[in-house]
Amino acid sequence: LKGAYVLQDAEGGKLDIILTGSGSEVSIAVEAKLKLKDVLKVRVVSFPSWELFEEQSLEYRESVFVPGVPVVSIE
């Protein structure tokens, strides 16, 4: 278990935004990605455990949450 996972990624090119949720909010992030697909490159991240995620290597953490890309957490 790694604590956070890329559930859906943008198709090619540089990411514009990362949407994340920890539970049922993930479905809202997936819906938002569908609505934004024509204007933004969106990644959806399922983030169920901050504690497990912090235990991962910096390389893994930065592969999920790319430095410089804004993150919107849905609560």
Side-chain angles (χ1 to χ4, degrees), residues 64-75:
V64 175
F65 292 104
V66 178
V69 177
V71 178
V72 174
S73 179
I74 301 169
E75 294 295 325

Side-chain angles (χ1 to χ4, degrees), residues 16-50:
D16 293 310
I17 193 165
I18 298 170
L19 301 177
T20 186
S22 61
S24 61
E25 302 89 357
V26 174
S27 65
I28 297 168
V30 169
E31 288 178 39
K33 179 183 186 292
L34 287 173
K35 291 182 179 188
L36 295 169
K37 70 179 180 179
D38 294 330
V39 293
L40 294 173
K41 298 209 179 283
V42 179
R43 170 180 284 179
V44 175
V45 173
S46 175
F47 196 2
S49 176
W50 182 265

